[in-house]
Amino acid sequence: MTVDLCGIPLRHPILNGSGTFDAIAARRAFGDALLDEFPFSAFVSKTITPEPRAGNPPPRLWETPAGMINSIGLPNKGLDGFLARDLPELAELPVPLIVSVMATSREQFARLVGALAARDEVAAVELNVSCPNVESGLVVGESPEETRALLAELRPLTEKPLIVKLTPNVPTPAPIAVAAQEGGADAVSLINTLRAAAIDPATGAPWLGAERGGLSGPAVRAIALNQVREVAAAVEIAVIGMGGVARGRHAADLLAAGATAVAVGTENFRDPAAGTRIASELDKAA
Ligand code: RRO
């Protein structure tokens, strides 16, 4: 079941969701065995920002029935740290590399995309306009106008595919996806996590250090399926579907809903080989 994702040939349709699989740590843990049987047909990096970030105060995770709330808050080395330290290691992976980026202004997004455009190791760039866990006040991906304007500014900077990661925290994501397409995006990916909170039963206060976070896992699967269907019906560009995928059947459902490829997220924390298993289950079902 090979796939063409915006001109990038993939061995199978299963990717990782950004931030849900640390390939550098996994290589340290599993050695070169990781490269012999890499779980995903392309690797999507954790989101990077122009400057280093420490991330949100702990606790950062809460388990829910059939899901998980995270409030990680984008800890990363910043653009220069990523290029110097992470990119050389990620370039050794046996699959195309998609780098996820986030910034709080169009100029800063342009700095990130411009720098990555110059790197042969990078196959595509994912624009994370949907992180629920930062205090910028503006979630670009909640506004079609902002999304279109951002793409119009970034599109001339690179011929590499630009993927827009959509938020589920809007009444319907289709108008945002259409705006991304009109601005020149090559693909959209969805869903990011749903805004959520948890209370510490001992104190009655918010459990998460940042007070709220984003819900993922099987709990969100039916929402993801509906949003992927709506978006795939509204755009001609490729759709990368994700949300609670834990088995081949779930991936098949998202492909039937119109996705070109499917990403695995929360399930990677439970089973680091989930990508390989899900790709093989999907293959057997086909
Ligand atoms: O780092 C995070 O807290 C985070 C990000 Br950037 C995102 O896009 N989605 C999410 O659930 N967490």
Side-chain angles (χ1 to χ4, degrees), residues 46-47 70-75 128 130-133 192-193 214:
K46 169 78 183 151
T47 302
N70 86 82
S71 177
I72 310 298
L74 274 163
N128 185 356
S130 52
C131 176
N133 295 333
N192 206 322
T193 53

Side-chain angles (χ1 to χ4, degrees), residues 32-38 94:
D32 286 350
L34 179 78
L35 308 186
D36 297 339
E37 198 163 3
F38 195 70

Side-chain angles (χ1 to χ4, degrees), residues 9-279:
L10 303 180
R11 270 188 294 120
H12 59 74
I14 306 298
L15 283 54
N16 66 297
S18 171
T20 66
F21 188 92
D22 185 339
I24 295 174
R27 174 104 182 256
R28 253 172 235 135
F30 301 116
D32 286 350
L34 179 78
L35 308 186
D36 297 339
E37 198 163 3
F38 195 70
F40 313 108
S41 60
F43 181 70
V44 186
S45 79
K46 169 78 183 151
T47 302
I48 63 164
T49 52
E51 301 303 326
R53 285 176 56 97
N56 286 340
R60 290 173 167 181
L61 291 178
W62 174 266
E63 189 173 341
T64 72
M68 177 177 92
I69 305 176
N70 86 82
S71 177
I72 310 298
L74 274 163
N76 76 99
K77 301 182 176 84
L79 175 63
D80 293 343
F82 174 82
L83 293 176
R85 286 149 65 195
D86 288 357
L87 187 56
E89 292 200 53
L90 296 178
E92 290 181 11
L93 299 177
V95 295
L97 174 65
I98 301 172
V99 178
S100 170
V101 300
M102 188 266 181
T104 50
S105 71
R106 282 179 215 148
E107 293 69 30
Q108 291 299 315
F109 259 114
R111 195 182 139 208
L112 292 163
V113 170
L116 295 169
R119 303 301 295 247
D120 289 341
E121 306 93 314
V122 178
V125 179
E126 181 169 85
L127 308 170
N128 185 356
V129 295
S130 52
C131 176
N133 295 333
V134 284
E135 289 290 328
S136 68
L138 175 75
V139 179
V140 172
E142 290 180 6
S143 153
E145 294 72 29
E146 290 286 340
T147 301
R148 193 180 295 104
L150 177 65
L151 266 293
E153 184 137 340
L154 301 181
R155 184 67 282 175
L157 302 180
T158 182
E159 288 177 4
K160 294 187 198 291
L162 291 175
I163 303 164
V164 178
K165 178 81 172 266
L166 301 174
T167 177
N169 297 309
V170 287
T172 167
I176 318 277
V178 169
Q181 174 175 271
E182 287 170 356
D186 299 279
V188 290
S189 55
L190 72 158
I191 60 174
N192 206 322
T193 53
L194 284 140
R195 260 192 221 114
I199 295 297
D200 182 346
T203 64
W207 170 264
L208 296 164
E211 300 198 0
R212 62 177 202 178
L215 178 68
S216 62
V220 310
R221 192 186 308 132
I223 296 169
L225 189 60
N226 182 53
Q227 295 205 353
V228 167
R229 284 191 80 226
E230 284 184 9
V231 164
V235 297
E236 273 105 61
I237 56 177
V239 175
I240 303 170
M242 72 197 85
V245 173
R247 310 192 58 79
R249 175 78 256 154
H250 310 147
D253 288 351
L254 286 169
L255 294 174
T260 298
V262 168
V264 176
T266 308
E267 181 69 2
N268 296 322
F269 294 97
R270 210 188 57 75
D271 173 9
T276 305
R277 174 176 55 75
I278 292 166

